[in-house]
Amino acid sequence: MAHPPRQEIHAKDLRGLKYFRILGPLLDRLHADATPRDPAGNRQLHFDQYAGLILLAFFSPIVDSLRGIQQASSLAKVQKLLGCERAALGSLSEAGRVFDPALLRELIGALAEQALPQIQGREAEALRGLTAVDGTLLTALPKMAWALWVDDQHRAVKMHLHFDVLKGVPVEATLTAGNASETVQLRATLQSGRLYVIDRGYAEYRLFQDVIDAKSSFIGRIRDNAVWTVIEERPVSAAARAAGVRSDRVVMLGGDKSGAVFKQAVRVLEVQTGKTDSQGRPEELLLATDRLDLEAEYVALGYRFRWSVELFFRWFKCILGCRHLLSTNRNGITIQLYLGIIASLLISLWTGKKPTKRTLEMLQFYFAGLASEAELQEHIDHLHRHENT
């Protein structure tokens, strides 16, 4: 079956480019990025321009391929905004190999710092710094030999993400082959002042102690066969029982060998989720935390917030469209995924809310000329009115 004719992109199809001007100070630092491939200084497509073109594609529904990005670069409005000339396909392809994605990783942190908390009150105060950590797979082509996963015919890349639950924004990300260790990636990217919430796949006692040594804390699910020595049996308050907490103990976690890594006692809580397991019994989780001061109901609540990172993954892959990879090499894919995270952060900063499908659609309607600026602003105002009702 013949492919439908490729849609031409015209200047009238791109509006709202002024929204990208706030990126200027952030992208300026990318412009002078020197690469080994350009020792003579003849490069015509710089990192800031390449990043701007990829970001433009996220917000324009008609720019959905590398060729579409190339065509957009030929438009006078885009060239004026980004200070670029028409980009050749070869230049766009090379850009994904030679530019340093670590510079974009720094931008993610800078933008995340500007985001305002979405959750406030006693919960936010108790769970300050709550950061959900998890990984997600993106399907890769068999020819991407570096993206090891199951076998030669099943390749994948894995994005490891730190998600600030209270702000509702990603704050850190790395990219690896699909079979890479999630615990190794978390250990390498630990920050201070965080309250990491992690699932059973991260239940490594050495990692728990590494989190504490990094001057952060953790709430993590441990395996059902975990062993410990009880130091103190704490009473369970009515509020904690309402949150599903059935027991709260201060313990030395682990046996003679596995527990030797701990320098201090931790807590282990038994928490019922309200669901049933495959045998029809009430589902119970074992949660460990080093926060001896945190009310038990907030430990249970903090773990439930872990699902916020899963919701972001759904947004990122299914709605923002980051399952469609523009490159086949690790460097280029990392750049694309970092720019997808930056696009998500921009939506949060523009609207003051977490990104949603409806908001992305309205932004795309506006950029395509189907919605006026007043209608876009009305949508943003509606988001805030809905929050207060």
Side-chain angles (χ1 to χ4, degrees), residues 298-363:
Y298 288 130
V299 175
L301 177 63
Y303 187 78
R304 285 202 296 272
F305 275 136
R306 190 192 69 82
W307 288 103
S308 60
V309 70
E310 301 291 346
L311 295 176
F312 180 81
F313 286 151
R314 181 180 178 184
W315 147 266
F316 192 77
K317 294 193 292 187
C318 300
I319 300 175
L320 191 59
C322 285
R323 285 189 296 191
H324 174 63
L325 302 178
L326 299 174
S327 179
T328 58
N329 69 80
R330 187 197 303 263
N331 202 76
I333 294 173
T334 303
I335 289 174
Q336 180 186 347
L337 295 184
Y338 281 172
L339 288 169
I341 291 174
I342 289 172
S344 301
L345 284 162
L346 287 175
I347 295 176
S348 296
L349 293 175
W350 289 340
T351 65
K353 305 292 291 182
K354 289 188 290 187
T356 65
K357 182 177 181 179
R358 297 283 87 84
T359 297
L360 179 61
E361 287 173 344
M362 180 57 71
L363 284 165

Side-chain angles (χ1 to χ4, degrees), residues 169-209:
V169 298
V171 295
E172 173 67 276
T174 55
L175 184 84
T176 65
N179 63 359
S181 168
E182 294 180 338
T183 57
V184 168
Q185 287 300 305
L186 175 54
R187 182 176 285 110
T189 52
L190 287 172
Q191 301 175 359
S192 62
R194 297 283 176 184
L195 174 54
Y196 290 106
V197 54
I198 46 183
D199 202 0
R200 188 164 49 182
Y202 294 86
E204 181 185 301
Y205 295 166
R206 176 71 261 176
L207 176 62
F208 289 169
Q209 186 61 52

Side-chain angles (χ1 to χ4, degrees), residues 54 70 117 173 184 198 218 222 233 256 271 290 306 318 351 356:
I54 300 296
Q70 179 199 29
V184 168
I198 46 183
F218 68 89
I222 58 177
E233 188 88 33
D256 293 339
V271 179
D290 62 308
R306 190 192 69 82
C318 300
T351 65
T356 65

Side-chain angles (χ1 to χ4, degrees), residues 4 17 24 30 33 60-61 66 98 111 125 132 147 149 164 190 193 215 222 260 317 322 350 362 384 387:
L17 296 182
L30 304 180
D33 174 42
S60 178
L66 208 59
V98 300
L111 289 170
E125 185 62 30
W149 186 35
D164 189 311
L190 287 172
K215 302 188 184 306
I222 58 177
K317 294 193 292 187
C322 285
W350 289 340
M362 180 57 71
H384 291 276
E387 176 186 35

Side-chain angles (χ1 to χ4, degrees), residues 111-161:
L111 289 170
E113 281 292 322
Q114 299 178 35
L116 299 176
Q118 302 291 314
I119 301 174
Q120 300 184 12
R122 291 187 60 188
E123 294 178 356
E125 185 62 30
L127 298 173
R128 182 180 300 176
L130 187 65
T131 305
V133 178
D134 208 348
T136 190
L137 291 170
L138 297 159
T139 302
L141 298 174
K143 67 178 180 180
M144 295 166 61
W146 62 271
L148 298 175
W149 186 35
V150 178
D151 53 43
D152 288 344
Q153 299 304 312
H154 296 84
R155 303 284 185 174
V157 298
K158 183 181 289 186
M159 182 174 70
H160 308 263
L161 190 77

